Amino acid sequence: MKKFFIIGLLGFAGAVAAQEKGTVSGGYETNAQWYLNDKCLFNEELVRVTHPDNPLRSNNYLFVNYKIKNWAFGIQAEAYEQQALLNYNPKYKDANVATYFAQYQNDKIDVTAGYFYEQFGSGLLLRTWEDRALGINNALRGLRFIYKPTKYFTLKTLYGQQRTGFDVSEGKIYGADAELTLSDVFKFEKDELIFGFTYVGRDEKTTIVDPKFNNLTNAFAGRLNYTHDSFYCSTEYDFKSEDAVVQINNQIDNNLIKPGSALLLNMGYSKKGFGIDGTFRRLENMSFFSERDAKGNPYNDMIMNYLPSLTKQHHYNLANIYVYQAQPNVIISDLTNAKAGEIGGQVDLFYDFKKGTALGGKYGTKVALNFAQYHGLGGTFYLFSPQDYTTDFMGFGKKYFSDANIEITKKCNEKWQFGISYINQYYNKKRISETYGEIKTNIIGAESTCKFGKNKSVRVQAEHMWANSDKKNWASLLTEFNLGTKYSMYVTDMYNYGNDDSRLRTHYYGIGNSFRYKSTRIALAYGRQRGGLVCVGGVCRNVPESTGLSLSLNTSF
């Protein structure tokens, strides 16, 4: 089917192009790594890293888009040679056509056939997107139709199967989303009021004998967004029909059939120099995959919905060692670590002290405060006869995570500015990652940027973490040089000097540089990578410890 579609797409695009010229755009990206043996990370006494049989690996992406009048066509090819980078989905291998699409769009309709990306509401029921750093590409292959008869009403419908490697999932996805801007209907002058409704269906035929659940899982959501001057508020409630719970080891439990739900509330106030924002979220059994037994895979493969950790995204390295991940899953195989979801939220506040005041000084001072805390859902769990659970809608169970931080940024003169941060974290490793331990950390970070010459600067960032357990104390230093708009370089080191096991007191060093010319950027780096989570926008993937040389090339045309 793929070959016929591509041949037809190229033929149709050629026929259209023959009549009138269009525009071509695209790009190429490669991320390559040469993994090297490192005696500090690999030795007979203490095996920490097993280096790959193929030490030279790369992820490569080539995409071309063609647009003419109301038509657009696109194709993306990918190659993973000799294999994909470590800890990427093993389904990414060799070279092949990855995605392709044909699209027609005018003022009222938008039709796409092939692969496409879509998000309904906040994404709690459906979001497809590509993030190459995380190895995520969960595009849908099928048909999407968008109808916008007026400026205040939009209807989206879609059908497809989700990408997994170079193939698609067995599960079939149906969806519809309607959004009505009531403020345009009633001609509000100062207020904006938007109402939305979503339906998503996942149809996957089960292989379980005498299933107690339906092949089709239905999910519904309603949302409301309101804005008045500097005040804004949005809320969304999602419900997922009864389905078999998938517990640890990807086991579909035919005796535990439960619905799922989510509640998201966000409100805030913002004006020049001041802002406050609060977010609350409750998740219960909200894992949603195009194939049931894909739940729990370490690659976010076939994930249908978007469940980021709603916490501050720190730019300090040590603050990202113990990062929170959303906990939507049900696990009750062990009552000491039973859970059915999460409940919590965060509050952000920023304030700018005005120029000329005692605290503002000549250039002003910026202060940002953030606090986030998450718990497991409170409820009762039954391990036997039969296995089951009940939850309290607003019940707060065991504490999972908290993060309280303050960041102060001050510009001293035209050439020099500095910032300082304090971060206090609590990380329940047993509850979050089903291992053991509770970790409390205190982190101090400071950074300074000094400009010299035209478009030239040097930035120094220093950090220290005090931790009561696990790997204990860390120190980190980063120096970055920006030599004009085209060239930059950095040197960094993270040192786990406080580890109780002296053999694990490791320097994670790195040196790198990048050069940019027009739309092309090339970067070369060498160093030792700390194992753990790498996160983008609150979604994470695990990376192994490794040492090596990396090359990144990105260009567009």
Side-chain angles (χ1 to χ4, degrees):
M1 177 180 176
K2 179 190 291 188
K3 293 181 179 179
F4 287 116
F5 188 95
I6 294 174
I7 293 171
L9 185 154
L10 294 175
F12 185 70
V16 175
Q19 300 179 27
E20 194 166 339
K21 292 182 179 180
T23 58
V24 177
S25 62
Y28 174 74
E29 178 179 338
T30 183
N31 297 295
Q33 184 91 22
W34 182 18
Y35 298 97
L36 302 173
N37 287 325
D38 188 333
K39 293 182 179 180
C40 185
L41 299 182
F42 178 72
N43 57 67
E44 294 180 358
E45 182 183 8
L46 182 68
V47 176
R48 292 169 60 191
V49 173
T50 302
H51 286 279
D53 294 332
N54 295 320
L56 183 59
R57 300 179 172 212
S58 65
N59 298 357
N60 306 274
Y61 311 87
L62 173 65
F63 57 97
V64 179
N65 297 323
Y66 174 70
K67 188 172 183 179
I68 181 169
K69 292 188 175 180
N70 300 101
W71 289 93
F73 308 90
I75 190 168
Q76 177 167 302
E78 299 174 9
Y80 302 90
E81 302 292 348
Q82 299 174 18
Q83 291 177 256
L85 300 179
L86 284 181
N87 231 44
Y88 273 74
N89 193 333
K91 294 179 181 179
Y92 292 135
K93 58 183 179 180
D94 301 327
N96 208 330
V97 172
T99 61
Y100 46 86
F101 73 91
Q103 181 183 29
Y104 176 82
Q105 184 179 23
N106 61 27
D107 292 338
K108 292 188 176 182
I109 65 171
D110 181 343
V111 183
T112 303
Y115 286 88
F116 57 87
Y117 303 95
E118 186 55 77
Q119 176 173 328
F120 291 166
S122 66
L124 283 169
L125 288 185
L126 180 70
R127 185 197 187 199
T128 57
W129 79 104
E130 181 183 30
D131 193 309
R132 294 169 184 170
L134 296 178
I136 295 177
N137 190 327
N138 61 347
L140 286 170
R141 189 184 75 186
L143 184 66
R144 181 187 62 182
F145 177 75
I146 302 175
Y147 180 52
K148 193 169 184 179
T150 69
K151 67 176 184 178
Y152 53 79
F153 179 74
T154 302
L155 175 66
K156 300 178 181 179
T157 59
L158 59 83
Y159 164 79
Q161 292 168 280
Q162 203 166 28
R163 180 185 173 186
T164 173
F166 288 114
D167 205 345
V168 291
S169 65
E170 292 293 331
K172 299 175 177 60
I173 311 302
Y174 308 87
D177 185 85
E179 187 168 275
L180 178 63
T181 306
L182 294 173
S183 50
D184 287 345
V185 176
F186 296 107
K187 303 187 184 303
F188 295 159
E189 294 184 0
K190 296 184 178 180
D191 300 333
E192 183 178 68
L193 182 62
I194 301 174
F195 172 75
F197 177 80
T198 293
Y199 166 77
V200 176
R202 187 271 318 274
D203 188 6
E204 184 202 7
K205 186 176 181 180
T206 182
T207 58
I208 291 179
V209 179
D210 297 325
K212 299 177 182 179
F213 55 94
N214 297 323
N215 289 336
L216 178 63
T217 304
N218 297 301
F220 305 90
R223 63 184 183 272
L224 192 66
N225 300 330
Y226 174 71
T227 303
H228 175 76
D229 293 334
S230 299
F231 172 79
Y232 57 88
C233 176
S234 64
T235 184
E236 178 175 323
Y237 180 76
D238 303 76
F239 176 79
K240 181 162 64 83
S241 67
E242 287 189 343
D243 191 30
V245 170
V246 182
Q247 298 202 60
I248 58 175
N249 300 322
N250 296 62
Q251 295 298 312
I252 299 175
D253 194 337
N254 194 36
N255 295 311
L256 185 58
I257 315 299
K258 304 292 284 188
S261 63
L263 174 64
L264 179 66
L265 176 64
N266 173 251
M267 64 174 57
Y269 178 84
S270 179
K271 66 176 185 179
K272 185 178 180 180
F274 172 76
I276 184 169
D277 180 272
T279 302
F280 170 83
R281 185 173 70 184
R282 179 190 186 275
L283 300 176
E284 179 179 343
N285 188 25
M286 273 304 291
S287 291
F288 210 10
F289 292 82
S290 52
E291 292 182 7
R292 290 177 179 86
D293 60 5
K295 175 185 171 182
N297 78 82
Y299 313 109
N300 291 303
D301 187 28
M302 293 184 280
I303 189 169
M304 290 172 54
N305 55 348
Y306 179 59
L307 302 175
S309 58
L310 298 180
T311 61
K312 184 177 178 67
Q313 307 299 301
H314 292 287
H315 65 278
Y316 285 99
N317 292 323
L318 299 184
N320 287 299
I321 292 179
Y322 301 109
V323 289
Y324 183 67
Q325 295 184 85
Q327 300 293 303
N329 297 329
V330 174
I331 297 177
I332 52 178
S333 57
D334 177 6
L335 287 183
T336 63
N337 196 26
K339 54 186 178 182
E342 70 169 26
I343 186 169
Q346 69 169 334
V347 177
D348 274 304
L349 186 149
F350 74 86
Y351 185 80
D352 293 350
F353 290 96
K354 294 182 179 180
K355 300 176 182 179
T357 62
L359 294 176
K362 182 177 180 180
Y363 296 96
T365 302
K366 298 181 179 181
V367 178
L369 295 166
N370 172 271
F371 177 75
Q373 184 163 311
Y374 286 88
H375 292 249
L377 283 179
T380 305
F381 297 86
Y382 308 93
L383 187 56
F384 301 109
S385 301
Q387 197 175 70
D388 200 2
Y389 68 88
T390 60
T391 60
D392 304 320
F393 188 77
M394 295 300 291
F396 285 72
K398 294 288 185 179
K399 184 179 177 181
Y400 286 171
F401 177 85
S402 67
D403 185 333
N405 55 82
I406 180 172
E407 184 173 357
I408 301 172
T409 306
K410 174 71 177 175
K411 184 177 180 181
C412 300
N413 53 47
E414 293 293 337
K415 295 184 177 181
W416 180 46
Q417 71 174 29
F418 73 91
I420 186 169
S421 294
Y422 168 72
I423 304 163
N424 175 273
Q425 293 177 326
Y426 167 82
Y427 187 88
N428 193 326
K429 198 172 182 180
K430 179 179 180 180
R431 297 283 173 174
I432 295 173
S433 55
E434 292 87 49
T435 53
Y436 63 91
E438 297 180 22
I439 305 161
K440 298 177 182 179
T441 68
N442 290 282
I443 302 168
I444 289 181
E447 60 180 330
S448 177
T449 302
C450 182
K451 298 179 180 179
F452 59 95
K454 185 177 181 181
N455 297 320
K456 298 178 180 180
S457 66
V458 57
R459 183 173 74 95
V460 178
Q461 181 175 285
E463 310 164 54
H464 188 274
M465 173 197 284
W466 293 268
N468 69 327
S469 62
D470 198 39
K471 298 180 180 180
K472 297 292 184 70
N473 297 354
W474 289 74
S476 176
L477 183 65
L478 166 70
T479 304
E480 183 180 84
F481 302 92
N482 293 296
L483 306 177
T485 58
K486 295 181 178 180
Y487 183 75
S488 66
M489 65 174 296
Y490 71 88
V491 179
T492 183
D493 184 33
M494 294 172 59
Y495 182 32
N496 184 206
Y497 75 93
N499 204 307
D500 289 338
D501 189 337
S502 60
R503 299 172 298 176
L504 300 178
R505 294 173 185 169
T506 306
H507 285 276
Y508 295 95
Y509 53 83
I511 181 170
N513 65 103
S514 65
F515 178 76
R516 184 185 297 273
Y517 178 72
K518 294 184 178 179
S519 61
T520 299
R521 179 182 181 274
I522 185 170
L524 184 67
Y526 171 79
R528 180 184 290 158
Q529 177 177 272
R530 177 187 66 84
L533 293 174
V534 171
C535 305
V536 178
V539 179
C540 307
R541 79 174 179 96
N542 253 305
V543 297
E545 289 191 343
S546 63
T547 301
L549 185 69
S550 63
L551 171 70
S552 175
L553 171 65
N554 195 316
T555 187
S556 59
F557 54 86

